[in-house]
Structure formats: C-alpha cells, structure tokens
Amino acid sequence: MHISEKEIEIRYAETDQMGVVYHANYIIWLEIGRTKLIEDLGFTYAGMEEDGYLSPVTDISIQYKAALRYGQKAIVRTWVEDHGRLRTTYGYEVLHEDGTLAAKATSEHVVVKKDTFRPVSIQKIYPEWHAKYEEIKRKSPDGVRN
C-alpha cells in the first residue's frame, strides 16, 4: 500500500469562531491529499480533464477526532482504499504534527465523460493508472486485497 503525505499550514481564515478549523475545510484538504497521491504516482487530474474526463465525488465520510487550530500544521495521509471497475475509494487520515489523529475519512469517485457525464472504466481509458491503483490498493489484515 502506498501512502502519500501532504503538510498543510493552517491559516486563520480556515478557523471558526471557536478558533478551530471549520469542518468543511477538511474536504478541501482531502482533495489536496488526493491530488498529491495521484501526482506521486505520475498522473494528474488536470491531464484527465484535458482528455475529456472528470472524476466526481459520489460519497464522502469524515469522522472528526481532535480539533486542529490556527498556527498548527496538519498532515494529510492519503491512499487507495479500494479500486474496482468503475469506483475508486480513497482513504485519509488528517494528523496533528505529533501524529495525533484529527480526522479520518473516505471518498468515493467515478470517472465520467465530461460531455455526457456517463461513467467510464478507468481500466479502458488509462490502463497504466488502473494497474497502479490495483498494485497499491489497501490489503486487508489477512493479506488479501480489498
């Protein structure tokens, strides 16, 4: 399993009246982490869009564990949790600098044609990308791929 890491400097504008990071900002950070993972693997979302494809979110789930605050740094860890013919699920951890878990999340995506929004198999349009995701997706504790 390949895990990508991205450090985020928390800006004042990302906090709420209580002085903690506003919950919706985590979704932005997940996107930053996902983009970093894809780039680490040698691919780009921008290239996908130039080719006429999009990868919309079909589901997202976040569990908040420990507040982050202005002036701190967050570390976003991202991996491929599962990958199938049409759907890819990414896993995330957002950590404090000391490793304390601030949030954990998953997001599910499909690839669609930009002009029709019809789903397409990433295996057909990007066989190398598909093969890399198959190679790195998370394995269950018994060693079998999810």
Side-chain angles (χ1 to χ4, degrees):
M1 181 170 88
H2 174 85
I3 299 175
S4 179
E5 289 193 5
K6 176 69 176 171
E7 185 178 272
I8 307 286
E9 288 190 39
I10 300 171
R11 299 170 295 185
Y12 183 78
E14 294 172 315
T15 64
D16 61 17
Q17 190 173 11
M18 296 178 289
V20 300
V21 172
Y22 179 67
H23 69 276
N25 286 305
Y26 286 82
I27 294 174
I28 296 167
W29 296 351
L30 301 182
E31 182 180 338
I32 291 169
R34 192 169 56 253
T35 300
K36 172 87 164 71
L37 170 69
I38 290 166
E39 289 174 354
D40 285 353
L41 298 175
F43 309 105
T44 66
Y45 265 146
M48 179 187 284
E49 289 186 6
E50 288 171 8
D51 292 343
Y53 300 98
L54 303 171
S55 184
V57 175
T58 57
D59 187 55
I60 196 157
S61 174
I62 303 174
Q63 296 83 47
Y64 302 96
K65 304 295 185 179
L68 285 160
R69 299 179 184 281
Y70 169 67
Q72 295 180 324
K73 292 182 181 171
I75 299 155
V76 180
R77 299 178 77 221
T78 310
W79 61 91
V80 176
E81 183 72 22
D82 194 24
H83 176 69
R85 197 172 76 75
L86 289 176
R87 299 190 192 299
T88 301
T89 303
Y90 298 90
Y92 310 87
E93 291 178 336
V94 181
L95 306 171
H96 288 261
E97 287 180 274
D98 69 2
T100 302
L101 183 64
K104 65 180 185 174
T106 58
S107 66
E108 181 181 275
H109 302 254
V110 295
V111 176
V112 299
K113 293 227 10 119
K114 190 187 286 189
D115 57 348
T116 65
F117 241 69
R118 292 184 58 93
V120 296
S121 169
I122 194 170
Q123 183 176 9
K124 289 183 180 177
I125 58 172
Y126 299 114
E128 310 85 21
W129 199 329
H130 167 77
K132 192 63 171 175
Y133 274 18
E134 283 293 323
E135 176 188 328
I136 68 164
K137 71 182 179 181
R138 183 176 183 178
K139 293 180 183 177
S140 65
D142 62 2
V144 177
R145 291 190 187 275
N146 288 338

